[in-house]
Each structure stands twice: as structure tokens, then as C-alpha cells.
Amino acid sequence: MSLLFYISSVVAIVATLLVITCHRPIHALLYLVVSFLAVSMIFLSLGAPFVAVLEVILYAGAIIVLLIFVVMMLNLGQEAALQEKQWLQPKVWVGPSILVAVLLLEMSILLLRGESAAIQPAVDMKRISLVLFKEYVIAVELVGFLLMAGIVGAAHIGKHKKKHPHRFLQNGKENGHADNNENNKEVKPGELLKEEMIHN
Amino acid sequence: MTNLIAYIPALPLAGFLLLFFTGRRMSKSMIAFVGAGSVCIAALLTIVIGITFLQSGSSANTQTLWQWMRVGNFSCDISLRLDALSLVFVFIISFVGALIHIYSIAFMRQDEDYARFFASMNLFVFSMLVLVLADNLVLLYLGWEGVGLCSYLLIGFWYKVPANCAAANKAFFITRIGDTAMAIGLFMLFKTLGTLNIADIQQQAATIPNVTTIALLLLMGGMGKSAQVPLQTWLPDAMAGPSPVSALIHAATMVTAGVYLVARMNVLFLLSPAAMNVVAVVGAITLFVAGCSALVQTDIKRILAYSTISQVGYMFLALGCGAWSAAIFHFFTHAFFKALLFLAAGVVIESLHHEHNIFKMGGLKNKMPLLYYTFLAGASALAALPFISAGFYSKDAILWYSWSAGNGNVMLWAVALTGAFITALYSARLVIVVFWGDMKTPIAQQPGKLMTMPLVTLAILSIIAGFVQWPHNLLHVTLFADLVEKVLPATVLKQGIPPELLLQLIAAVVTLGGAYTGYLLYYKSPHIIEQWKTAEPNLNLREFFVKGWRFDELYQTLFVKPFLFITRSNKADVFDKIHQWLVTACSRLNGWLSLSQNGSLRWYIGSMLVGIIFILALQFFL
Amino acid sequence: MPSFQTQPVLIVAAILFALGLTGVLVRRNIIFMLISVEIMLNAAGLAFVAAGARWGQPDGQVMFLFILAMAASEISVALALVMQAYHQHKTLDVEELNALKDGTEPGFG
């Protein structure tokens, strides 16, 4: 079992590293699937088969599919990969990486400082279900609301009702153009004087 | 009957609220009905309660309505207490107040702010009743400030004239000096005793170490409200208000609040002979200073104002001498005749096209006989003509006690006697110049029944009110003293004083002499006074008196000018720079913090990361 | 059955979390940032499950379920937003979508 855990961990870490360094979005997503599957294996090794199955179905299934849809709809291909390559210069990633490394160091020290207890025997499905629908029933309801809101929100935001920017932006741009036109037309001081004299 | 006490102040309060909120939409007769009606019912109620109280023979009725506030050990109730002293004051306030309200119905009829007038008057009556009925000094202070507010509102009633507003401000500011002193006195009293309940203070007064300071601070409050030297300068200017206001607030009731306070706190003053002496000396100085000024004024209301200051000075003199009941008795009679004089003056002014100068009046005796006789009754009471006027009985008592009472002495008596002479002189001058001689201004209108009825009532009272208390040696009637001395300490007499009858004779002769001098100077041979006026040194003296002993100019130099100097030299406003700096610092800081909100999502996440690193780093040290 | 300790599992979770965080920080493409956020959420779920297994309690797995639901709704809304942003601004560069800042007029750079 322990061996399974270590192998899965290494796979998960390597796959994740590749996710965040990969230029092509579609490749990154495939590595992400690998990472999720590896984490699922870790769950299995922790004695949580139910969660492992959910991980595969929801993360590796639903969420990844959503992401792939979007990537395909936006048609992120070769040029996107080139742009990513251009963006991923060392000067961009070195600083944040050092910061994250410091954080990881801190977390590791804190984790290693605490006592390390043996993992208890696995929790069976029945207990989880009982707890879920007894103690956490309100939380389950709330999560239901959250999902509902997510669906409605996504449907609303995703609607292609307007091809144009928001009216604030639109007006701003139009006004800007109008201003520019006026500025172009604006008479010079000398001409103004002449006009005034004519009027007088 | 106890439960009814609260209704006496509640009625004017209800009238005030009704007029304040709905007065604009009411007709004038409705306003008059509410405004005067509430006070009239309160007056009737007072009489009923008073009779019941006197029959029951108890010393005090207390009615606690509810708890006002409670902080730690200190609690303060809305609690009313009726005893003999407050009964006298409540009677005067509600009864004279009712008469003046009735008078005002006709007097103010032409004014467009009819509702505002009656609302303020009702509020005043309410505050004054709270003041005299209060069971503790905090509630008393509430009423005290309430009457100050109403005084301010009513002096500046015709606010469109800037001078009236200035007069209102002056009254407010100067009484505020006294009020502040009084507040400090209350704080000290509370710090020493831990209570401001009047009954408790009277019981524990002997344990107060700094009783003189407290008594003097309270006296200072009384001096501000009662217009005693050196805080007297507001009262003559306060005559800018309508005549009924002058009659009610600045003659009959509010200016005697100081007298009430000193009488109520008599225990504190008795413990401190020094404070008693100060009270007496202040009273003596005031009555002389104001009397001299009253002699030379030409505005009829200012004459009466100065005479009010002077008469309140008599009350303070009596308090200071230890003649408590005599002081309250003088308040009692003074309220009638001074209210009468002011109301009559209001009629005179109204009839003569708002003429205030007495030398432009004259000859009213035959044209307005009723007014003449009522005014004469008031003026003779003011001058204290022997036997036929109420003023005689009260003022004679004060004159007698100013020498014979425990704290009195011959000097105070001499000043009081001089004051009596001056009073008789200016009373005679007033009557003669206004009513006798030739007519100088045509009469516009005669007063109606609503105005003459209060005048006649007050005139009768000005004559008979004194009969409840006779001098000891003449007739043994001491109804008033018997009543009041249930609450106030009895007057202690000294030994080795000249016989009372002799002093009375002197006083009577001096009074009659003053009146005769007035008759001589202003009627028989006016050339004497004309000659006197034109002489050079007298001219300055006259000017000095007319300006009220130049107190205003003194204060101008002492306080106003240095203050103005300071404000001018600080024109650049040094302190404002500090605030400016604060503003600059805030906006600079805002600028710096705004830089962090730059719209870059990765920057925000980075900041969060730094924060997490910091918080986790703390774990290493905790 | 299990023969290992909690520490290694939590360390793995921490490493995954750090990697996700790095991704969010260094990538400018908004889709990559979303992917990285998913990694971070997954790491947090792993820590929960490990802690639940440590005590033999079901609560850790229940929490993972909630995180899962939250991640699902988050990604659906976020992707809808990405679609809109792309349609309106023709870019996925998060550095260009920076109009929401102090002292600027409404409008996108």
C-alpha cells in the first residue's frame, strides 16, 4: 500500500509540474487528467474508495471536459502555444516560484514539526452517508443552492445576447470619439477673434 | 390629591406640544383657547391642590413619576415635590401666568406668529413649574435651562429686528455665565454628597466641608438668572420682547428663580455666614445701582426693568439677612404689582402708537381712567405707600429685618432705606409724567375687556395681597410667615435694635418724602429738575445712570475687546494648520494604498501569498 | 491495512498546493490560471481526506464532497466569464483585463 502511495504521489507531482509549465492548453489538460487520476490513487491508498471514484468522475470527467470544451471553442492552437512560450520567460516565473518555495518550506517545517500518527482503518460508505444526511444536511442543502446558482449564473453569463461592450464602455468610446472630433474642429484663437468681430 | 400635582406642569406642556405641532393650521381663536386655556386650568388646579394641601396640614407631598436616569450609584427621578415654598411659587406662576395669558389673547391678536407666542409662553410656564416643583437639583436644572431657553425665544420674538436678536443673545450669554457656575456648584455638591436630592442635601448639609464655595457658586447661578450685580446688564435689554413676556418672565417669575434657589438651598447658606453676607451685600448693591438707573431712564419699560432689578435686589437683601419669609413675601407681592405695571405699560405703549418715551406721553389720566387707577395701584405698591398697598407690608418687613435680623446691620438698613426713597421717587415720576399734565400723543385705541380684566384683578391684588402678613407691632396677622416657615427657617432677631415702630415711621416718612419729591420735581416746579439737568457735572452723572452705571462698556473693555484682539491676532488660524496636515496625510496615504490596487490579478495573489507566508512565519515564534 | 503515516500525505498535498499556486502566479493565460486553481482545490481536498483518515472520521470525506461541488460550480461560472471576456476583448491575457482598479474611468485598457 505504501508503495502505491509513493508511486502515485510522484506521478501526481510530476504531472502537475508539467501542467503548469506546458505551453499548449490541450496538453496541459491531458497532464491534468493524469494528475487527477494519480490523486485518485492516493485516495484509494488512504482507504477512501468513494472519494477516489468521485475524483475520477467529477474532476477527471466533468471538469476536464468543461475545460476542453472551452479550449476547443476558443480554438486555442498553435499561436496560443507560441504566446505562452513568449510569456513564460524566466524573469516572469523566478520571483513567484521563490515565494512559493518559501511557503512550501514553511508548510513542510510546520507539518514535520507536528506528531505523525498512523492512519486509522478506512471509513465505510455507510457512515459517510449517515453523517452527510444527518449532521451536514443543511450544508448539503446549501451546496445544492450553490450548484444551482452556479448553473444559473453560468447560463446567464454565457448567453451571447450582446455582441457589443457594455453601454458604459460604448458611450465612453463614442463620447471619446465625439470629443476628438470636436477637438479637431476646434477653431484657433485668431479665427475665434475674427468670428467675433464679424458678429459684432 | 397627591397624584394631581403632575398635572399642573403637564397642562402647559400639553398646550405647548399641541401648539408647536399643529399651531400653524389652527385659527387664532383656537390658538388662544389652547394657549390660555391650558394655563388657566393649571391655575384652577393649583388653587384646588393648594387648598387641599393646606387643609391636610402635611409638610410636603412628593410624587415620583418615573426614573429619569441611573448611572452606577447615582439615580435621578422625575419627581415632583410640593411644599409651602413651592406652593407659593406655583400659585404665582400659574395664577399670574393665567392672567397674563388672558391679556395676551388681546394684546398679541394682530401678530402673525400667534401660535409661536403661545407655544413659547406655555413652554415657559411648564419649565418654570418644573423648576419650582423639582424634587432634585438635576430636574431643577432642567427647568432652569428651560426657562432660560424660553426667555431667549421670547426676547427675540420679533426676530426680524436685529436689535431684538442681539438682546436675546445677550440675555442668553450672560445668564449662561451664572448657569455654568451653578452647574459647577451642582457637580461639587454631587461629588461631596453623592446625591442631588434636595431633601437629602438638607439632611446631610452639615457634613459638607466646602459649603461656602458651593453656596457661592449656586448664588452665582441665581445672580445670573435674577439679574443681580454684576450680571444684571441683560434685563434692561430684555425689554425688547413683547410686554406680556416682560410681565411674566422678566418681572413676575423667572427673575425670581434665583430667589427660589437661595431659599430652597437655605441650609447651605445658613451654614456659611460668609455666603449669607455676600447675598445681602449683592442685594444691597443691586437695589441701589438699579434704583439710580431707574430714576433717569426715559423708556417706560426700561424704568420698570430697572425697578425689577432693584426689587429683586430687596429680595436678595432679605435672604442674605436671614429674613427668608420676608423675601418670599416680597416675591409674592412683587409678582402682582410688577406684572400689573408691565401689562399697563403694554396698554399705554399700544395706545400711543408704540411710543416708549415717557416724556412723549402724558395726560392719560382723563382719557383712560381705568388704566390710570390700576397703574396707580401698581405704582403705589412699588413705592410701598403705607397701609394702602401690598408693597408696603413686604418691603417694610425687609427694611425692618435688614437691621434687626441675625445677619442684618445698620448699613444694609441705610442702603435699603435710600433705595426706598429712590423707588418712591421714580414711581411718582412715572405716574406723573405718563398720566398727568398735557397730552402729547393722541390715543389710538382703548384696551378691550380681555386686557382690562387682568389689570383690574392684579390691581386689586396689589392692594389687598399684603394683608395676609402684618408687621408684628401693628396687628398680629402672620398667615404668610406661618405658611412659609414650615419649610424655611424662622427669622432670628438681634437684641438692642431701635423699636420697630420708630423704624417703620422713618420708612413711611422716607417713602412719602420720595413720592412728594417726585410730585414737586415733576409736577409743581419742573424748572428745578430742568436746571439740574443742564448743569455740567450732573449731565455726566445722568449719562452714567442712563447707561446703567456703564456696566456694558466695562464688560466691553474687560472681556470683549481682549477676546477680539486674540481672534484678530489668530487670523491665519494656526490650529487649522494641524487639521490641514491631517487631511494631507490622509490623502497621501490613500494615494499610496491606491497604488496597490492596480487591477493586476497576479499582483493581488502575490500579495496574498506574502501575507500567508508572514502568518505562517508567526507560527514559528508563537 | 494502511502502513504509513499522515505526514507524507500532507506533504504531498502541500507540494500540490504550492505547484497550483505557482501556476496561478506565473501564468498570464486565464485558462491556465483556472486549471491551477483546480489543482489547489484538489490539494486542499487531499489534505481533508488525509486528516479524516487520520482520525477515522467521515468528516474529511464529507468536506471533500463540498469542495468538489464548489469547484464544479466555480469552474462553470468562471468559464462562462472567460467566454464573455474573450468575446468582448479578444484576449485571454489577465494583465490586459485590469480595468477594475482605483482611480480609473470605466473601460478596459
Side-chain angles (χ1 to χ4, degrees), chain B residues 515-535:
Chain B
Y516 183 71
T517 315
Y519 171 72
L520 213 62
L521 288 180
Y522 288 93
Y523 193 70
K524 256 311 195 248
S525 41
H527 59 274
I528 301 177
I529 196 81
E530 291 301 327
Q531 276 176 356
W532 188 85
K533 265 190 209 170
T534 45

Side-chain angles (χ1 to χ4, degrees), chain B residues 49 171 174 211 223 234 251 268 278 319 431 573:
Chain B
I49 289 177
I174 292 181
V211 67
M223 278 155 62
W234 64 271
L268 297 183
V278 172
L319 292 172
V431 172
D573 210 345

Side-chain angles (χ1 to χ4, degrees), chain B residues 591-607:
Chain B
W592 291 338
L593 285 177
S594 275
L595 286 181
S596 72
Q597 195 193 346
N598 55 5
S600 165
L601 205 55
R602 292 163 62 209
W603 167 262
Y604 299 159
I605 297 166
S607 317

Side-chain angles (χ1 to χ4, degrees), chain A residues 71-142:
Chain A
V71 167
M72 290 171 77
M73 276 174 78
L74 298 185
N75 200 13
L76 300 175
Q78 191 67 44
E79 60 269 40
L82 283 173
Q83 196 178 35
E84 287 295 321
K85 196 171 186 178
Q86 195 188 341
W87 281 344
L88 262 188
Q89 301 292 326
K91 63 170 180 175
V92 177
W93 58 259
V94 167
S97 303
I98 291 171
L99 270 181
V100 174
V102 170
L103 178 67
L104 183 61
L105 188 72
E106 277 185 351
M107 287 199 292
S108 309
I109 293 171
L110 285 172
L111 285 173
L112 293 173
R113 220 165 53 163
E115 48 91 45
S116 180
I119 284 194
Q120 302 286 311
V123 186
D124 64 337
M125 265 303 299
K126 198 177 167 187
R127 271 183 74 194
I128 297 172
S129 317
L130 281 175
V131 168
L132 196 58
F133 291 101
K134 263 186 183 163
E135 292 170 32
Y136 287 98
V137 67
I138 291 177
V140 169
E141 293 286 328
L142 287 175

Side-chain angles (χ1 to χ4, degrees), chain B residues 561-578:
Chain B
K561 278 188 184 152
F563 182 73
L564 284 179
F565 173 74
I566 293 170
T567 52
R568 282 209 192 92
S569 46
N570 192 24
K571 228 173 192 171
D573 210 345
V574 182
F575 298 101
D576 206 35
K577 293 276 183 294
I578 300 169

Side-chain angles (χ1 to χ4, degrees), chain B residues 594 598-600 602 605 609, chain C residues 24-25 28 95 98 101-102:
Chain B
S594 275
N598 55 5
S600 165
R602 292 163 62 209
I605 297 166
L609 176 58
Chain C
V24 175
L25 277 171
R28 282 169 75 176
E95 292 296 293
N98 62 353
K101 64 184 171 195
D102 205 19

Side-chain angles (χ1 to χ4, degrees), chain A residues 31-104:
Chain A
Y31 287 126
L32 188 61
V33 175
V34 177
S35 164
F36 284 157
L37 290 176
V39 172
S40 164
M41 288 305 289
I42 297 177
F43 288 148
L44 208 57
S45 72
L46 287 175
F50 174 57
V51 169
V53 169
L54 278 183
E55 171 93 12
V56 173
I57 295 174
L58 279 171
Y59 266 117
I63 290 175
I64 292 294
V65 165
L66 261 180
L67 281 164
I68 288 174
F69 269 170
V70 170
V71 167
M72 290 171 77
M73 276 174 78
L74 298 185
N75 200 13
L76 300 175
Q78 191 67 44
E79 60 269 40
L82 283 173
Q83 196 178 35
E84 287 295 321
K85 196 171 186 178
Q86 195 188 341
W87 281 344
L88 262 188
Q89 301 292 326
K91 63 170 180 175
V92 177
W93 58 259
V94 167
S97 303
I98 291 171
L99 270 181
V100 174
V102 170
L103 178 67
L104 183 61

Side-chain angles (χ1 to χ4, degrees), chain A residues 1-2 5-6 9 12-13 16-17 19-25 28-29 32 35-36 39 42-43 45-48 50-51 54-55 58-59 63 66-67 70-71 73-74 76 80 84 87-88 92-94 96-97 99-100 103-104 107-108 111-123 127-128 131-132 135-136 139-140 143 146-147 149-151 153-166 168-169, chain C residues 1-32 34-96 99 105-108:
Chain A
M1 275 305 182
S2 188
F5 166 73
Y6 285 117
S9 302
I13 289 165
T16 310
L17 199 62
V19 169
I20 62 167
T21 52
C22 189
H23 299 314
R24 283 171 180 270
L29 286 173
L32 188 61
S35 164
F36 284 157
V39 172
I42 297 177
F43 288 148
S45 72
L46 287 175
F50 174 57
V51 169
L54 278 183
E55 171 93 12
L58 279 171
Y59 266 117
I63 290 175
L66 261 180
L67 281 164
V70 170
V71 167
M73 276 174 78
L74 298 185
L76 300 175
E84 287 295 321
W87 281 344
L88 262 188
V92 177
W93 58 259
V94 167
S97 303
L99 270 181
V100 174
L103 178 67
L104 183 61
M107 287 199 292
S108 309
L111 285 173
L112 293 173
R113 220 165 53 163
E115 48 91 45
S116 180
I119 284 194
Q120 302 286 311
V123 186
R127 271 183 74 194
I128 297 172
V131 168
L132 196 58
E135 292 170 32
Y136 287 98
V140 169
V143 165
L146 181 68
L147 281 169
I151 290 164
H156 178 75
I157 295 168
K159 247 195 280 181
H160 270 256
K161 55 192 173 206
K162 283 183 252 173
K163 287 230 155 84
H164 300 293
H166 191 266
F168 279 174
L169 310 176
Chain C
M1 174 179 61
S3 56
F4 53 86
Q5 308 276 300
T6 42
Q7 261 174 1
V9 190
L10 291 176
I11 296 277
V12 169
I15 291 168
L16 286 178
F17 182 84
L19 285 173
L21 191 56
T22 317
V24 175
L25 277 171
V26 300
R27 303 308 288 252
R28 282 169 75 176
N29 191 320
I30 200 162
I31 290 189
F32 278 96
L34 284 175
I35 292 169
S36 305
V37 168
E38 289 306 312
I39 295 170
M40 286 163 75
L41 285 170
N42 199 26
L46 177 58
F48 266 115
V49 173
R54 151 76 181 84
W55 298 105
Q57 295 292 325
D59 304 65
Q61 300 191 24
V62 170
M63 277 304 153
F64 180 80
L65 285 180
F66 294 153
I67 289 175
L68 197 63
M70 202 273 284
S73 46
E74 176 247 303
I75 199 78
S76 57
V77 174
L79 285 175
L81 280 169
V82 167
M83 297 287 287
Q84 279 297 336
Y86 188 74
H87 278 287
Q88 293 193 0
H89 302 286
K90 305 290 172 212
T91 179
L92 289 174
D93 182 5
V94 80
E95 292 296 293
E96 281 188 30
E105 302 294 311
F108 288 93

